[in-house]
């Protein structure tokens, strides 16, 4: 119940215009490595391996704590839905002025009709799932809002039987005209 209340308050603040972000240049690959290291124990308990392919010199301009929260939420979902003994792929690439992070699991996937709704509050693909079976149902809604605040995009690609890929795109430093300079 405490986690649900915290997530609801977090989401309400993120949806407002006054939520302050501490924006700074971030070595995005290092931040991802740090979160992966934190989540390794949980993945190890399910014999899940992380396959990392990260462009190490990728720099984004963002709020470190909030971007860690995004990665943690995506990995938490990927670990939850990946069967024991499988792997999760984490890829970071830079395409011109965009940093793209892909988190791909080997789970059951999401039906096509559910994909447009997965980042809505409390939406669950498995309607029979209870809060005991997982999180608050707010994780992807929070991810969506954080990425939106960073002027990025968040998408999910999935095919039943073939897993799910969460895709985050963020502006890559050097900064665009609207970003502060160092």
């Amino acid at each position: 119940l405490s986690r649900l209340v915290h997530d609801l308050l977090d989401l309400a603040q993120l949806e407002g215009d006054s939520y302050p972000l501490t924006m700074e240049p971030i070595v995005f690959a290092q931040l991802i490595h740090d979160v992966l290291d934190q989540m390794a124990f949980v993945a190890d308990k399910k014999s899940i391996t992380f396959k990392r392919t990260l462009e190490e010199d990728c720099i984004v301009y963002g709020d470190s704590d909030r971007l860690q929260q995004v990665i943690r939420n995506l990995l938490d979902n990927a670990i939850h839905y990946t069967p024991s003994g499988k792997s999760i792929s984490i890829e970071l690439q830079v395409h011109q002025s965009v940093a793209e992070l892909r988190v791909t699991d080997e789970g059951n996937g999401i039906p096509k009709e559910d994909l447009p709704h997965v980042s809505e509050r409390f939406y669950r693909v498995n309607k029979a799932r209870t809060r005991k079976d997982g999180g608050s149902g707010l994780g992807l809604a929070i991810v969506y809002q954080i990425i939106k605040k960073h002027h990025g995009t968040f998408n999910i690609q999935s095919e039943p039987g073939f897993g799910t890929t969460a895709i985050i795109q963020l502006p890559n430093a050097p900064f665009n005209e609207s970003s502060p300079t160092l």
Side-chain angles (χ1 to χ4, degrees):
L1 188 59
S2 170
R3 182 174 174 193
L4 177 62
V5 170
H6 179 267
D7 285 351
L8 272 172
L9 288 172
D10 212 17
L11 185 57
Q13 287 178 333
L14 285 165
E15 289 175 339
D17 289 334
S18 62
Y19 188 83
L21 293 176
T22 306
M23 304 295 275
E24 61 187 358
I26 299 166
V27 179
F28 201 29
Q30 185 58 55
L31 184 132
I32 295 165
H33 282 302
D34 292 347
V35 175
L36 286 167
D37 292 347
Q38 294 166 11
M39 304 284 297
F41 178 75
V42 178
D44 288 345
K45 283 174 61 176
K46 282 185 75 177
S47 299
I48 293 172
T49 56
F50 292 140
K51 295 181 180 177
R52 307 175 196 206
T53 308
L54 306 179
E55 203 163 308
E56 298 293 335
D57 59 350
C58 175
I59 309 251
V60 296
Y61 190 73
D63 184 307
S64 179
D65 291 337
R66 288 301 183 168
L67 290 176
Q68 283 182 26
Q69 183 179 9
V70 162
I71 297 163
R72 207 173 3 264
N73 281 355
L74 294 178
L75 287 172
D76 189 49
N77 277 355
I79 291 168
H80 184 81
Y81 293 106
T82 298
S84 293
K86 298 285 186 172
S87 64
I88 297 169
S89 171
I90 302 94
E91 300 173 66
L92 175 63
Q93 298 178 341
V94 177
H95 307 284
Q96 295 178 348
S97 61
V98 175
E100 182 177 274
L101 173 65
R102 290 177 168 259
V103 177
T104 303
D105 67 41
E106 293 185 18
N108 292 330
I110 301 169
K112 188 176 186 175
E113 63 272 11
D114 289 312
L115 280 175
H117 306 288
V118 294
S119 61
E120 294 174 4
R121 292 176 179 216
F122 303 115
Y123 191 82
R124 292 174 181 276
V125 173
N126 179 355
K127 311 300 185 259
R129 209 173 124 222
T130 66
R131 302 244 180 272
K132 279 194 304 191
D133 299 329
S136 64
L138 296 170
L140 294 181
I142 290 170
V143 166
Y144 174 79
Q145 289 300 325
I146 291 171
I147 296 304
K148 184 177 168 185
K149 292 265 185 216
H150 283 80
H151 308 290
T153 61
F154 170 56
N155 293 298
I156 300 274
Q157 294 176 349
S158 189
E159 189 175 335
F162 294 98
T164 301
T165 300
I167 305 164
I168 302 288
Q169 292 184 324
L170 294 169
N172 183 42
F175 311 112
N176 62 32
E177 301 80 42
S178 63
S179 297
T181 56
L182 296 176

